[in-house]
Amino acid sequence: MQISTFRIGEQLYGINIIYIKEICNLLEIFPIPGAKKFEYGLMNLRGNVISVIHPSLFTEYDNNLLGTKNKLLIFKNDDYLRPLLDIDLLKKPMSLGKDLIGLIIDTISDVIEIDDEKEIGPLTPNIPEKLNRILSGVIYHNRQLILIIDLQKFNKNISYIY
Amino acid sequence: MAKSEDEELINTFLNDIKEALAKLEENLLHLESSTDPALVNDLFRAAHSVKGGASFLEYKPVIELSHAMEHLLGKVRDGEYTPRQDDIDALLEAVDMIKICLDNPEMSYDITQLKVKLSKNFQDNENLELKNEEVEKKSRPALTLAMETNGPIHAPPPEKNQTLVPDRVSDQVPDQVPCNLPKANETLKITVLKTNKLVSLASELVLARNQILSHQQKKKNADYGGKNAFQNIDRVTTEIQTEIMGMRMQPISIVFNKFPRIIREIANKINKKIKIEIIGENVELDKTIIESISDPLNHIVRNSADHGLEAPEDRIKNGKSAEGKIILKAYHAGGQVYIEIKDDGRGIDAEKVINKAIENRLLTKEQAQTLSTEEKLKFIFAPGLSTAEKVTDISGRGVGMDVVKTNIEKLGGHIDIETILGKGTALRISLPLTLAIISGLIVEVDNLTFAIPHIGFEELLRVTSKDYHDKIFNVENCRVLKVRDELLPLVHLGDCLSLKKNEIKREALAEKGPAKKDLALTNSETILSSIPSKKELPTRWNLKILIVTTGNNKFALIVDKIVGFEEIIVKSMPAHLRYLNTYAGVTVLGNGKVALIIDISGISQKNKLIFDKIQNAVLNFNSKNASKGSAENASVLIFKNNQDKHYAILLSLIRRVDKIIHKDIQTYNGKQFINYMNDTTRIIDFNSSIDMNVEGERKPPAQCDNDGKRLIVIPKNLKRPVALLIGQGVETREIPLKLEENGLGLNDPFVSGTAIIDGKITVLLNIYNIFEHYENDCFSLNKSSLKSKKQIKILLVEDTQLYLKLTTDYLKEQGHQVITADNGKIALEILLTGTAVDLVITDIDMPEMDGLELTENIRSNPQFKCLPIIALTSITNEKSIKRGMQIGINRWLPKNDKINLISTINEIVEAELCK
């Protein structure tokens, strides 16, 4: 499977490319008064409302993430997932909810090809709890550590955290 | 049932049958009272549709039953037979049976007995059997799904949904029938899924339109052609949207129409006589709302019939007619639909409710004692509380009003209850019209945009630095806004949303730097701090305030900027943000901005503590104020005559003040007239005619303005157009009314009294008398009808001298005898010393003892149990009124409405309440 990798700060993260709807520039983001810190705001993407998540959900890295270089990684919702389910591209049926959710990242990096999930290694115990909650494993690629995000865990976390 | 491959077709038929059944049910009830041929024909056709549908499905029990029904109805139609009560019962029973059959087609049913019932009153079973064969023969009728809706009239009558059973219909339905068929009823069935898709597409279209609109507004000199084309798009879009939304709208009659039947059955079962009245069955609501409102309504109506209405003998004992009455009423108001269920039964005893609540440990006895009657009644909505002392199969089955309430609130509605012991109960449900597109007010706070649903707010107002101190007060460290005579909690929208508590720094926002730091109202800390002194007020302090309501709560919200109205498409809140109950959803505005939609009831709940605190503070403030003495203010219109003398008229008596051109005034027969708003209006010149009475000498005619413009005053409640021509220097002012006690104009019928305003002696005019003097009979009610048939003795309790005098004058004019008292305490003493009076008219806000307390005292004395009490007050808030009514005030009237007061007194006199 293909893993799309991206950076937040120095750290390299990865996510199964099949779950990514698109990557776009940050447009004007409208904050949500009263929301949690990581619930950064709402963005209008061609008439659709994207709920923008700040990486503070899982990392302490909190540099200015609103530069012109920064991107928004938008995940698929059930509407985009359904066609994949229909043609059996997904191994098991899953749900990502009805909302379009985007994660602010620093830069987008390479797409790497891995042999199935065998290459994904287990999480090491020294990973902070906050981060642990959204990961499915790690990959060592070109002597770099890539943290693989599990989108279902990610979604669950933004709904139930704290 | 036939195992047809085409499930959709089967569903179509099932729906047809169900529709026909509903029609049967509705019309069968009318059959009791009339055998109007059109009605019977309708019934016959409905039974026929059922049979047609059932024969397609080859569902034998239903075919047989419907055939028997059709047969009976056919006899009635042909005039061979007049239906009896038990026939109708049998027909209804058959309808029920068919329903059951359709719901559980797997079961087998014994319908022979029912068939016998349907035909027992006329002996031609042979005929029935014969027809039955015919049914078998026709069991595979030719089906045509004709999409053409406007076919030729001579064609066989299309059944609902264009399901044609050609040969059958033409040989059974008389020729004249086709013309009677309402063409408008032809329907095309579309799945809800498809309409939903259309609704969301229409929403997108509206969005795109709005985007073009805001683009268009930006560039002002757009070419003409483009503008024209856009206007077209704009219009068509709006139309498409309304039409599509309209597709989902259904009349509430769908729900209402089943109630006559339900009520009839209940009435028979429990031996009560019940009449049901349905009003406004054409009011339309979104399909989803209609569907979900059915059960709650059912529950409420059953409750009313079973528990609300008394048994006939009890009713007669209580002086009511034996027949109980339930009114179902739907109507539009303020962008919402209201449904009222009213009965004239025994009402609900708040004490019983609260005792039950205590029994169920919902609260303690001590807590209960502090509650008002209204609050006690609200416990009827608490879970697991049925007030029915015995549980019947009609109502009171444990699922109670709490379920009703939650269901209604899920739809975005509210439910209120009102009850008068012995008189009846009314439940009022308010519902939104639709769910997807709403009209919203766009506002800004701290450069963030929010939308407020139109439904929630009542009015907009601006408080400038000039009138800040007149409008905004600090009551026990809480800010309140004075709107007319009401004090409302005042909060900043930003505080309600805990704006500024977001921790991530927003660079973009910080730069623009909300320049509202000096606006001390924005922070929760400062909202509770004391009001700044005059010096601290920044000169550009202009507050924009929205007054919003939710349920019983009313409060004022400050916003930074009001952008305008827009039709907004409600998108649901992302799931992970639903915990924020201050928002009802999100929307994308025409300018591409994302705006959160404010949930007013959420805000009210979130800030409940603050609001409650303010409300209490306001109450305390009011009571304190009252004890300080009469601080009653009145708005007056002040003007000067030729001689620079000052006059005033109570603003509440005036309908309109307008400018006219002096030379337009024409004189006929020594009377002056003007064409004002297409009415020949009689003019009474204040300076030349009335002044004389006051001053005792005639003055030269009034001078005009330089441009010949003069002012006229038109009072309220006029029957004929009459206006008072007044002098210059007109202004309105709110003044504390304190009448001077001197001899000036004491016996002048045109003068109510004098007051000192801005150091000038001002004569307060009695414009009723002035107008009556010059133009006899010009008010809405003429004197003869106003004159009471009987003169009574009235105790008038009022602390403000002006009103005391005004009202006494009115009453004396009517020939009534008036005893006055300055406050409740004095009034009570008068009553207790044995002075017999027929009626008490009391102010509410008074020192020593207020009107409510007075009422309670009067009512607690058995001697005065039936003494009618009218409250005459400027208090208009619902809570006080409700409370007043509960403790025994008979009528609640505004001050200064002479006509209303007098007609109410007459009403009371006539109703002989005084006895």
Side-chain angles (χ1 to χ4, degrees):
Chain A
M1 65 182 185
Q2 288 183 316
I3 301 282
S4 174
T5 65
F6 54 90
R7 271 178 210 282
I8 294 169
E10 286 304 303
Q11 182 58 53
L12 206 52
Y13 296 87
I15 195 161
N16 189 343
I17 205 164
I18 212 165
Y19 299 135
I20 293 175
K21 177 181 175 281
E22 66 181 286
I23 294 152
C24 69
N25 289 324
L26 286 181
L27 306 170
E28 192 180 357
I29 293 173
F30 302 89
I32 310 153
K36 292 166 203 152
K37 194 180 161 191
F38 67 83
E39 287 161 345
Y40 196 68
L42 302 167
M43 193 181 96
N44 171 16
L45 182 78
R46 303 185 295 273
N48 291 316
V49 177
I50 314 279
S51 173
V52 178
I53 301 293
H54 192 277
S56 65
L57 172 69
F58 52 84
T59 164
E60 299 301 332
Y61 176 81
D62 191 14
N63 233 346
N64 178 8
L65 274 161
L66 290 176
T68 43
K69 272 193 290 177
N70 286 91
K71 300 277 181 203
L72 191 67
L73 195 65
I74 299 170
F75 306 126
K76 285 182 178 163
N77 65 1
D78 280 348
D79 289 342
Y80 290 94
L81 215 57
R82 208 165 293 125
L84 302 182
L85 273 171
D86 288 346
I87 55 170
D88 265 347
L89 255 177
L90 296 178
K91 289 196 184 77
K92 50 176 194 251
M94 59 183 292
S95 170
L96 291 177
K98 282 181 178 171
D99 308 310
L100 284 172
I101 289 169
L103 174 68
I104 303 176
I105 57 170
D106 263 332
T107 49
I108 192 80
S109 190
D110 304 327
V111 173
I112 57 166
E113 184 89 32
I114 59 165
D115 287 343
D116 247 13
E117 283 172 11
K118 274 178 234 155
E119 258 183 70
I120 300 179
L123 293 164
T124 49
N126 59 343
I127 290 175
E129 169 62 18
K130 213 170 158 186
L131 188 54
N132 209 348
R133 276 197 291 235
I134 61 151
L135 297 181
S136 58
V138 292
I139 305 177
Y140 290 95
H141 186 81
N142 287 347
R143 275 185 287 166
Q144 269 184 311
L145 181 73
I146 303 171
L147 303 175
I148 304 297
I149 292 174
D150 181 321
L151 204 51
Q152 270 182 308
K153 278 190 183 173
F154 181 89
N155 275 350
K156 215 171 165 182
N157 247 281
I158 57 175
S159 301
Y160 298 113
I161 204 165
Y162 315 126
Chain B
M1 197 187 287
K3 286 219 162 42
S4 166
E5 284 171 18
D6 199 344
E7 214 169 274
E8 209 172 307
L9 205 55
I10 291 182
N11 275 333
T12 315
F13 276 98
L14 277 176
N15 283 337
D16 282 354
I17 295 177
K18 278 176 189 160
E19 256 171 46
L21 284 175
K23 204 170 182 185
L24 269 172
E25 205 166 29
E26 187 193 330
N27 289 343
L28 274 175
L29 294 181
H30 296 304
L31 194 61
E32 274 180 345
S33 48
S34 95
T35 48
D36 175 36
L39 174 77
V40 181
N41 242 329
D42 248 15
L43 279 168
F44 178 80
R45 273 201 305 278
H48 182 73
S49 305
V50 174
K51 193 169 79 172
S55 22
F56 167 80
L57 300 170
E58 290 168 36
Y59 191 20
K60 215 164 168 217
V62 176
I63 300 174
E64 285 175 16
L65 271 178
S66 53
H67 177 72
M69 289 169 80
E70 190 191 344
H71 186 67
L72 196 154
L73 289 167
K75 290 262 175 215
V76 177
R77 187 194 59 184
D78 300 339
E80 288 171 26
Y81 178 68
T82 318
R84 297 198 306 225
Q85 180 72 27
D86 53 343
D87 291 318
I88 294 167
D89 283 338
L91 283 167
L92 284 171
E93 220 174 296
V95 168
D96 283 342
M97 191 67 201
I98 293 175
K99 273 190 191 160
I100 295 168
C101 292
L102 291 176
D103 286 344
N104 303 298
E106 320 307 330
M107 311 269 283
S108 61
Y109 299 95
D110 179 22
I111 54 160
T112 40
Q113 221 181 338
L114 202 51
K115 259 164 69 189
V116 170
K117 255 195 202 169
L118 282 169
S119 57
K120 66 167 181 233
N121 288 326
F122 49 92
Q123 293 307 318
D124 54 355
N125 274 338
E126 162 208 14
N127 189 3
L128 190 66
E129 296 307 62
L130 191 130
K131 283 274 171 74
N132 242 339
E133 274 168 40
E134 199 186 346
V135 174
E136 296 301 320
K137 205 171 73 202
K138 304 274 183 196
S139 62
R140 264 165 277 109
L143 295 163
T144 331
L145 276 167
M147 300 306 278
E148 193 67 59
T149 48
N150 41 6
I153 289 174
H154 54 79
E159 298 282 44
K160 276 198 167 176
N161 309 304
Q162 291 76 41
T163 311
L164 299 183
V165 192
D167 47 351
R168 183 136 197 90
V169 172
S170 47
D171 66 27
Q172 288 229 348
V173 181
D175 285 349
Q176 71 272 21
V177 170
C179 314
N180 294 343
L181 275 182
K183 279 264 179 274
N185 264 355
E186 295 187 63
T187 51
L188 179 65
K189 265 187 195 150
I190 298 169
T191 58
V192 178
L193 214 70
K194 269 187 183 157
T195 59
N196 281 349
K197 179 88 187 162
L198 265 181
V199 169
S200 73
L201 278 176
S203 309
E204 296 294 323
L205 189 62
V206 171
L207 191 71
R209 191 265 320 257
N210 289 353
Q211 275 165 353
I212 304 178
L213 188 72
S214 70
H215 182 71
Q216 195 94 18
Q217 276 164 351
K218 259 183 241 155
K219 51 174 204 178
K220 291 206 170 76
N221 43 1
D223 63 307
Y224 183 72
K227 236 182 201 163
N228 234 354
F230 175 69
Q231 268 171 6
N232 263 335
I233 292 178
D234 186 23
R235 188 176 48 82
V236 174
T237 311
T238 314
E239 254 171 61
I240 287 184
Q241 187 213 327
T242 4
E243 283 301 312
I244 291 179
M245 296 315 284
M247 269 167 51
R248 292 168 53 92
M249 301 296 257
Q250 290 187 319
I252 192 126
S253 56
I254 295 178
V255 182
F256 276 9
N257 281 349
K258 63 178 188 188
F259 286 118
R261 167 96 194 268
I262 292 174
I263 290 299
R264 182 180 179 275
E265 257 161 33
I266 296 176
N268 280 344
K269 211 178 250 172
I270 56 180
N271 285 327
K272 284 182 189 173
K273 279 186 188 161
I274 305 173
K275 194 171 121 196
I276 186 160
E277 194 176 314
I278 290 177
I279 304 167
E281 67 263 53
N282 291 329
V283 168
E284 290 195 324
L285 272 169
D286 197 281
K287 184 181 157 69
T288 37
I289 298 177
I290 291 259
E291 277 163 5
S292 341
I293 197 69
S294 175
D295 282 348
L297 273 185
N298 199 345
H299 188 90
I300 295 171
V301 172
R302 277 170 184 273
N303 260 340
S304 293
D306 196 17
H307 308 310
L309 296 174
E310 314 92 324
E313 50 271 28
D314 291 344
R315 289 182 64 87
I316 292 167
K317 230 181 271 165
N318 294 332
K320 297 180 186 174
S321 67
E323 191 177 49
K325 193 168 171 190
I326 294 177
I327 302 174
L328 270 172
K329 183 175 168 193
Y331 58 95
H332 286 277
Q336 282 189 299
V337 168
Y338 288 83
I339 300 175
E340 257 177 34
I341 305 99
K342 226 192 252 174
D343 65 58
D344 63 346
R346 57 170 75 95
I348 298 169
D349 190 346
E351 292 309 317
K352 258 189 204 168
V353 175
I354 208 70
N355 286 340
K356 200 99 178 186
I358 296 169
E359 224 173 84
N360 289 2
R361 301 212 176 141
L362 294 172
L363 78 172
T364 63
K365 251 191 187 133
E366 291 72 43
Q367 283 171 313
Q369 273 161 3
T370 63
L371 295 176
S372 71
T373 324
E374 192 188 331
E375 285 166 319
K376 284 176 186 169
L377 262 184
K378 285 212 166 131
F379 271 91
I380 204 154
F381 296 117
L385 202 86
S386 175
T387 45
E389 261 149 41
K390 61 174 195 277
V391 171
T392 66
D393 65 336
I394 290 153
S395 60
R397 284 154 298 185
V399 281
M401 297 297 282
D402 60 317
V403 182
V404 170
K405 188 171 190 243
T406 17
N407 282 343
I408 286 164
E409 280 174 357
K410 251 185 224 159
L411 294 170
H414 282 288
I415 182 163
D416 280 324
I417 188 163
E418 237 174 79
T419 183
I420 302 171
L421 216 52
K423 288 267 163 62
T425 309
L427 279 138
R428 190 175 300 113
I429 300 169
S430 62
L431 292 165
L433 276 176
T434 180
L435 303 167
I437 300 187
I438 60 168
S439 161
L441 179 74
I442 315 298
V443 298
E444 273 182 25
V445 173
D446 265 1
N447 291 316
L448 292 177
T449 314
F450 298 95
I452 298 175
H454 196 164
I455 297 164
F457 85 97
E458 291 207 329
E459 61 183 306
L460 296 171
L461 52 99
R462 196 179 64 161
V463 175
T464 56
S465 50
K466 207 174 104 200
D467 50 19
Y468 186 89
H469 282 275
D470 296 331
K471 295 251 171 83
I472 296 175
F473 301 97
N474 215 31
V475 175
E476 292 187 4
N477 286 335
C478 296
R479 231 171 264 280
V480 293
L481 172 74
K482 186 169 180 217
V483 191
R484 288 173 286 274
D485 283 328
E486 226 176 326
L487 289 175
L488 301 174
L490 176 67
V491 282
H492 197 283
L493 182 59
D495 289 319
C496 295
L497 302 174
S498 41
L499 205 73
K500 306 205 161 166
K501 280 185 188 160
N502 278 356
E503 283 157 45
I504 299 175
K505 276 184 192 148
R506 290 167 202 285
E507 287 80 356
L509 273 180
E511 268 169 42
K512 287 173 198 162
K516 274 130 204 135
K517 287 260 159 62
D518 49 351
L519 211 163
L521 289 173
T522 34
N523 276 322
S524 342
E525 300 89 64
T526 46
I527 197 137
L528 300 175
S529 74
S530 64
I531 204 161
S533 77
K534 256 181 186 155
K535 277 177 205 158
E536 287 171 52
L537 281 176
T539 45
R540 57 195 171 83
W541 201 341
N542 257 344
L543 297 177
K544 281 136 196 138
I545 295 174
L546 317 177
I547 294 175
V548 293
T549 47
T550 158
N552 286 334
N553 281 329
K554 191 168 176 185
F555 53 95
L557 285 174
I558 304 170
V559 296
D560 294 350
K561 193 176 162 194
I562 290 166
V563 181
F565 284 102
E566 200 170 305
E567 293 280 295
I568 54 172
I569 302 129
V570 182
K571 297 186 183 227
S572 58
M573 210 56 190
H576 67 100
L577 291 169
R578 299 239 168 98
Y579 68 96
L580 294 167
N581 54 11
T582 44
Y583 307 113
V586 254
T587 188
V588 179
L589 299 178
N591 57 10
K593 282 188 177 178
V594 177
L596 289 155
I597 301 167
I598 302 286
D599 183 347
I600 298 290
S601 62
I603 287 199
S604 147
Q605 265 163 31
K606 192 175 172 202
N607 297 283
K608 198 172 179 302
L609 281 179
I610 301 179
F611 288 167
D612 281 354
K613 193 179 164 205
I614 296 180
Q615 223 123 43
N616 282 336
V618 168
L619 281 179
N620 286 342
F621 175 80
N622 277 345
S623 58
K624 252 188 230 159
N625 230 25
S627 58
K628 259 185 230 153
S630 61
E632 196 127 25
N633 281 358
S635 296
V636 291
L637 178 85
I638 301 169
F639 60 96
K640 287 186 274 187
N641 74 346
N642 303 353
Q643 306 270 300
D644 230 19
K645 295 230 155 52
H646 285 227
Y647 294 93
I649 300 173
L650 276 180
L651 212 53
S652 52
L653 300 176
I654 298 174
R655 186 164 73 94
R656 218 183 145 88
V657 176
D658 210 343
K659 263 189 188 156
I660 56 159
I661 294 167
H662 191 244
K663 64 174 193 285
D664 287 350
I665 301 176
Q666 298 164 26
T667 311
Y668 297 99
N669 280 344
K671 290 180 179 175
Q672 290 177 309
F673 293 94
I674 192 170
N675 177 4
Y676 176 72
M677 293 176 114
N678 289 330
D679 276 326
T680 307
T681 306
R682 166 88 198 268
I683 298 274
I684 301 168
D685 190 331
F686 178 72
N687 283 307
S688 56
S689 35
I690 297 148
D691 244 10
M692 183 183 70
N693 279 48
V694 179
E695 303 293 315
E697 52 180 292
R698 188 172 274 275
K699 297 282 175 326
Q703 306 293 312
C704 330
D705 278 9
N706 296 336
D707 49 357
K709 282 192 177 144
R710 298 284 306 271
L711 284 162
I712 52 170
V713 172
I714 302 163
K716 282 180 182 164
N717 298 328
L718 271 184
K719 195 169 67 180
R720 261 178 280 146
V722 187
L724 184 66
L725 193 68
I726 57 169
Q728 333 87 18
V730 172
E731 62 169 333
T732 63
R733 185 79 69 78
E734 194 159 310
I735 53 159
L737 277 179
K738 245 192 125 195
L739 282 194
E740 298 282 304
E741 290 186 12
N742 56 28
L744 190 59
L746 200 61
N747 289 316
D748 193 321
F750 294 172
V751 177
S752 300
T754 58
I756 305 228
I757 300 170
D758 286 351
K760 277 265 183 189
I761 300 169
T762 306
V763 177
L764 203 64
L765 297 170
N766 182 337
I767 61 168
Y768 276 114
N769 285 349
I770 293 176
F771 277 76
E772 290 279 321
H773 179 83
Y774 284 93
E775 186 75 22
N776 209 1
D777 256 17
C778 59
F779 286 97
S780 309
L781 285 168
N782 59 38
K783 274 202 166 150
S784 55
S785 82
L786 271 182
K787 266 278 184 272
S788 309
K789 291 177 186 118
K790 208 176 116 204
Q791 270 74 46
I792 55 168
K793 208 170 181 184
I794 297 170
L795 175 61
L796 177 66
V797 195
E798 167 68 67
D799 59 322
T800 315
Q801 288 307 311
L802 168 72
Y803 287 126
L804 191 66
K805 186 173 183 318
L806 270 180
T807 319
T808 312
D809 285 352
Y810 296 164
L811 296 174
K812 283 195 170 154
E813 211 173 275
Q814 296 296 312
H816 299 305
Q817 211 179 326
V818 184
I819 307 167
T820 59
D822 283 346
N823 63 45
K825 210 167 176 183
I826 299 174
L828 197 66
E829 275 163 19
I830 292 176
L831 281 174
L832 291 176
T833 50
T835 316
V837 298
D838 302 309
L839 170 72
V840 176
I841 300 176
T842 177
D843 188 17
I844 295 299
D845 257 354
M846 284 184 297
E848 298 279 337
M849 182 189 285
D850 67 10
L852 294 173
E853 214 175 313
L854 173 65
T855 309
E856 276 174 336
N857 277 318
I858 293 177
R859 288 289 181 244
S860 66
N861 190 330
Q863 194 188 337
F864 303 124
K865 214 143 210 153
C866 297
L867 181 65
I869 301 175
I870 298 177
L872 197 66
T873 173
S874 39
I875 294 173
T876 51
N877 80 61
E878 247 174 66
K879 211 167 175 177
S880 306
I881 296 178
K882 261 191 191 162
R883 188 169 136 68
M885 292 310 209
Q886 268 162 6
I887 61 172
I889 288 176
N890 299 70
R891 299 292 157 86
W892 193 282
L893 300 175
K895 278 186 177 168
N896 291 328
D897 194 344
K898 179 189 175 189
I899 309 285
N900 202 346
L901 175 65
I902 289 170
S903 58
T904 308
I905 294 175
N906 286 349
E907 219 176 279
I908 289 177
V909 171
E910 261 162 48
E912 285 185 66
L913 277 171
C914 306
K915 282 293 128 195

